[in-house]
């Protein structure tokens, strides 16, 4: 049986253009940190290496015996790319000074042992020093406010303003200075006006 996040986790990914409050569970991710403009090559290189490993994990899991994994699933759909973004303290927004962690969620049945074997396999097939920067860890969940933004990344400000207005009205405060973005489609294969991005603030 194949685990498909679009069907199994609608409460996290079936987001509408209406602000909602949700409880985000603790989740497993493969992650890599970076700094600078997301339009530069270094960012796309990190995205590429992360997806290479994500598909490496998927293929390894398919080859493994289901009984050994203690799971009824024999395959899964690779989750979408996510990013945690942090601006610098300057008032003027400068993309070149962004700090980020990009990550791809892993199903609960993916273990650290599977991750370590998969990363060993992909490093052997196509060596890249960026593999050494990838980690496998649990990201703590909690209450959050989220909205679906449709359109260019450069117009996300309007959706963030809606979220902040909503939070002020409801008496909610952000837990962190950074925010999360979840990219539901591939920006290289999608018209800019059709891009779908979940924007999320962790709240107290």
């Amino acid at each position: 049986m194949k685990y498909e996040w679009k069907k199994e986790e609608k409460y996290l990914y079936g987001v509408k253009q209406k602000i909602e409050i949700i409880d985000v569970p603790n989740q497993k991710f493969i992650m890599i940190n970076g700094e600078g403009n997301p339009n530069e090559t270094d960012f796309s290189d990190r995205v590429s290496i992360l997806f290479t490993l994500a598909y490496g994990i998927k293929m390894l899991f398919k080859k493994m015996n289901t009984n050994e994994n203690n799971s009824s699933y024999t395959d899964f759909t690779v989750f979408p790319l996510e990013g945690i973004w942090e601006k610098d303290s300057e008032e003027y927004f400068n993309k070149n000074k962004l700090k980020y962690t990009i990550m791809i969620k892993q199903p609960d049945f993916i273990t650290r042992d599977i991750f370590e074997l998969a990363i060993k396999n992909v490093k052997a097939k196509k060596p890249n020093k960026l593999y050494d920067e990838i980690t496998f860890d649990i990201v703590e969940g909690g209450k959050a406010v989220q909205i679906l933004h449709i359109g260019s990344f450069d117009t996300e400000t309007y959706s963030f303003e809606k979220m902040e207005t909503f939070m002020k009205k409801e008496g909610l405060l952000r837990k962190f200075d950074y925010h999360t973005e979840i990219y539901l489609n591939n920006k290289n294969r999608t018209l800019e006006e059709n891009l779908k991005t979940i924007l999320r603030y962790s709240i107290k």
Side-chain angles (χ1 to χ4, degrees):
M1 186 164 60
K2 188 173 185 178
Y3 186 89
E4 303 200 38
W5 54 268
K6 286 184 179 180
K7 295 179 180 178
E8 303 288 344
E9 303 183 36
K10 287 183 179 180
Y11 71 104
L12 286 176
Y13 300 102
V15 184
K16 307 297 182 184
Q17 287 180 283
K18 181 180 179 181
I19 298 168
E20 61 180 355
I21 300 174
I22 64 163
D23 285 307
V24 180
N26 294 347
Q27 302 172 90
K28 295 179 181 179
F29 286 93
I30 53 172
M31 304 178 284
I32 187 168
N33 297 327
E35 294 184 24
N37 194 323
N39 295 314
E40 299 296 333
T41 304
D42 183 64
F43 178 78
S44 58
D45 287 345
R46 290 171 187 274
V47 171
S48 177
I49 211 72
L50 206 58
F51 270 109
T52 297
L53 177 57
Y55 280 98
I57 292 172
K58 169 187 167 72
M59 297 309 296
L60 175 62
F61 181 77
K62 284 181 68 175
K63 291 179 181 178
M64 296 177 72
N65 186 293
T66 302
N67 294 329
E68 291 180 3
N69 294 318
N70 295 317
S71 171
S72 58
Y73 296 103
T74 56
D75 192 10
F76 65 93
T77 303
V78 171
F79 282 76
L81 182 72
E82 302 190 22
I84 296 175
W85 295 91
E86 183 179 358
K87 297 188 296 183
D88 63 11
S89 57
E90 296 180 9
E91 185 176 345
Y92 175 72
F93 175 59
N94 186 344
K95 286 185 178 181
N96 295 318
K97 293 185 177 181
L98 284 169
K99 294 181 180 180
Y100 58 83
T101 299
I102 50 173
M103 51 200 195
I104 298 174
K105 183 177 174 179
Q106 300 301 300
D108 289 339
F109 48 78
I110 295 300
T111 64
R112 182 170 296 277
D113 287 343
I114 295 174
F115 159 76
E116 290 177 352
L117 182 55
I119 202 167
K120 181 180 178 181
N121 291 343
V122 294
K123 285 171 74 173
K125 291 179 180 178
K126 196 173 182 180
N128 190 307
K129 63 182 181 180
L130 287 176
Y131 284 124
D132 295 329
E133 297 184 37
I134 298 177
T135 58
F136 176 83
D137 211 342
I138 294 175
V139 175
E140 186 177 338
K143 284 195 174 297
V145 170
Q146 65 181 16
I147 191 173
L148 177 66
H149 176 80
I150 298 180
S152 168
F153 299 134
D154 292 331
T155 62
E156 288 179 352
T157 303
Y158 300 110
S159 292
F160 283 128
E161 288 174 352
K162 289 180 182 178
M163 293 169 68
E164 287 163 6
T165 299
F166 173 85
M167 290 170 61
K168 185 175 181 180
K169 181 180 178 181
E170 298 296 322
L172 302 172
L173 296 174
R174 288 179 63 179
K175 191 174 182 180
F176 308 111
D177 290 335
Y178 53 79
H179 71 275
T180 300
E181 299 188 4
I182 304 173
Y183 310 103
L184 298 180
N185 41 26
N186 187 328
K187 73 180 184 66
N188 297 320
R189 300 175 184 174
T190 309
L191 292 174
E192 192 172 62
E193 60 267 27
N194 294 330
L195 289 171
K196 294 182 178 181
T197 309
I198 297 172
L199 306 178
R200 182 182 293 162
Y201 283 153
S202 294
I203 57 174
K204 298 178 181 179

